[in-house]
Amino acid sequence: MTVEELIKLLKGHPPDLRVVVQGYENGFDDVSLERVKTVRIQLDCGTESWEGRHQKLFPQKEDAPISDDAVSALALLRASN
């Protein structure tokens, strides 16, 4: 999903509708405005069923080149994270 696609999606919902993400093991958590940030991720490298599909790149370097499998992404992180 891109920011443009997210904006289009959000425009179709009431502005006071709560936004949540999946909890660590179950349930849902609020999205924290302070925890919405741009991160560098490695695409398609999660191999375990409990891992996310993409993984955070370490170290996070703003000037690191973007390649086909390492990109910048907007992360919406859980408030309880």
Side-chain angles (χ1 to χ4, degrees), residues 1-77:
M1 173 178 278
T2 66
V3 170
E4 181 179 14
E5 292 168 331
L6 179 59
I7 290 169
K8 280 184 184 178
L9 177 74
L10 293 174
K11 283 184 177 180
H13 295 281
D16 60 346
L17 187 66
R18 184 175 221 124
V19 177
V20 298
V21 293
Q22 286 182 309
Y24 177 67
E25 289 198 21
N26 62 22
F28 297 91
D29 282 318
D30 291 307
V31 173
S32 171
L33 288 176
E34 298 80 29
R35 297 193 44 114
V36 174
K37 60 184 179 177
T38 302
V39 297
R40 300 274 297 147
I41 59 172
Q42 184 78 35
L43 298 177
D44 301 316
C45 62
T47 58
E48 302 295 333
S49 62
W50 47 267
E51 290 183 308
R53 181 174 173 183
H54 314 299
Q55 299 294 318
K56 187 174 181 179
L57 277 179
F58 292 98
Q60 291 282 306
K61 293 185 177 178
E62 292 297 323
D63 59 349
I66 296 177
S67 68
D68 289 342
D69 59 353
V71 298
S72 292
L74 187 64
L76 308 177
L77 303 175

